[in-house]
Amino acid sequence: MTTTIRGGQLARLLGQWHSLPGRHRSPDYAALAAAVRGLLSDGRLPLGVRLPAERELAESLAVSRTTVSAAYRTLRETGHLTSRRGAGSWTTLPHGHRVATSGLWAAGDDRDMIDLGVAASAAPAELVPAARAAADDLPRYLGSAGYHPTGLMELRDVVAAGYRDRGVATSAEQILITAGTQQALDLVLRLSVPAGSPVLVEAPTYPNALAALAARRARINTHGLDTETGWDGEMLLGALRQTRPRLSYVIPEFHNPTGHLMGADLRERLAATAHSTGTELVVDESWVDLALEGETMPPPVAVFDRHSRVVSIGGMSKGYWGGLRIGWVRASAPLVQRLAAIRVGVDMASPVLEQLVAVRLLDQAPEILTERRTRLRERRDALAEALRQLLPEWSFVLPRGGASLWAELDGPISSALARASEDVGVRLAPGPRFGLDGTLERYLRLPFTLPPEELVEAVRRIASVRHDLDRTSVPSWRSPSVIA
């Protein structure tokens, strides 16, 4: 059954759709079409949604039906809309495009686009030799059916050893290997969050976590992070006590997208409060390997877990390569078995060969991660310097780890800026993708995983369209939207 969006609903999503950049103002129909494409790329307008009839949308936007008709025709020409007489018009995927990991539409052969929508690095040089060595290891598994729902024991041993090295007593039986960190989260939510259950997340937070929670029809409550200082401990723990959520999802290591690192004291209090409120604490450790300043990391939240309330998830996407699709869950052994039972109904098991590659890479972790941190530190500094020079009105805290910078803009322009940047060959993930209900328009996540020269060029292009926004007059007949 196709979902239909009403005219008033789409009008609210579009907001200031007319405020598009450029020295010469685009026709209204072109601006409207671009705004709808922006909602699709932003992830706020899903694929397969039936748009309102032309007359209905025209009345909601207070424009002529001719403007809406021309906008719909433009969207059909670009492949973002399909129409059939008597059935209406619904959002579609342009031919030759794919859905990128950032949730944005991305052409598979679009080599001229500088993609700042994805905070992930290219594969390390060690990957190909590791894959060849893993292929040599494969024959000893070929005599079995190849299904290992909890993962290969040798990989579970290596992952468990990593937790022990960080101070958390862990056995292989407490590890479940998954198809990436996202699947690890999805399995935990399937087990722990019935429809309608209250959950607590940070704001901003990882967009795909919000999508997973929405898919479970959870009641999402948020706790805000300060741009400069990160978590307010009293407010976070107070939110736990007041909402008493079924589950709370946190990213304490180089938080995505802000880059903040949670201190040891708050980690200990967080685990204790979660126990007192009956909350399962899901700790996303995706970025734990990417400390860029050589500092001693705080102990994992699981160190302070005395009552099996903490479930840790992590993987190899950020420190190694996202294309490997290896993640894991660390939890109590009984919980791991329950998760494995659910996993059988999802995809049976992770590929054996990829798990063997992961074992080889994790054996080389010191060399791979040292090189990765060095490159990210250089790229972070290049991005920060370019922002200071070309966009001095923006502010940010230089992250001490992770792979992205959370910039506060000089106005609520994040979505408009992302649409404008597409026109000059830069793909961005605007602030609203990291929150609920279209908030965070004053913020933008800027990953620093690309080479320095590409990052500097991207900032130059972003600065050019940002300055064009100032040259565009806003029609007097429409009041600006209030961002609260």
Side-chain angles (χ1 to χ4, degrees), residues 223-246:
H223 158 69
L225 267 68
D226 185 89
T227 304
E228 295 186 3
T229 60
W231 297 267
D232 182 313
E234 295 307 317
M235 290 185 64
L236 170 57
L237 302 182
L240 275 173
R241 297 185 187 103
Q242 291 173 27
T243 60
R244 305 185 76 85
R246 181 72 174 259

Side-chain angles (χ1 to χ4, degrees), residues 66-187:
T66 302
T67 296
V68 176
S69 178
Y72 279 15
R73 182 176 65 251
T74 300
L75 290 168
R76 286 192 291 271
E77 291 171 353
T78 60
H80 291 86
L81 197 66
T82 295
S83 301
R84 189 167 64 242
R85 186 179 298 277
S89 302
W90 58 94
T91 54
T92 54
L93 194 65
H95 176 70
H97 286 56
R98 59 180 171 82
V99 180
T101 54
S102 63
L104 304 173
W105 308 133
D109 58 354
D110 191 356
R111 301 182 184 276
D112 295 328
M113 182 71 70
I114 301 176
D115 192 350
L116 296 185
V118 179
S121 298
E126 293 84 352
L127 179 63
V128 172
R132 289 175 177 149
D136 293 336
D137 296 336
L138 188 59
R140 54 196 167 94
Y141 287 95
L142 298 181
S144 69
Y147 298 123
H148 303 270
T150 55
L152 298 184
M153 183 55 71
E154 58 186 298
L155 179 54
R156 297 168 73 193
D157 279 333
V158 173
V159 174
Y163 278 100
R164 291 195 297 270
D165 291 343
R166 296 170 58 205
V168 187
T170 304
S171 65
E173 288 71 24
Q174 292 178 265
I175 301 297
L176 172 75
I177 302 302
T178 63
T181 310
Q182 185 67 24
Q183 189 190 51
L185 175 61
D186 180 72
L187 292 174

Side-chain angles (χ1 to χ4, degrees), residues 90 191 211 270 326 427 453 458 472:
W90 58 94
L191 180 64
L270 179 60
I326 292 292
R427 181 170 292 117
E453 60 274 14
T472 303

Side-chain angles (χ1 to χ4, degrees), residues 24 47 63 78 111 114 268 342 377 400 425 459 462 465 481:
H24 302 290
L47 190 67
V63 298
T78 60
R111 301 182 184 276
I114 301 176
E268 182 174 12
I342 293 175
R377 186 162 51 246
R400 300 180 65 82
V459 174
I462 294 169
V465 295
S481 297

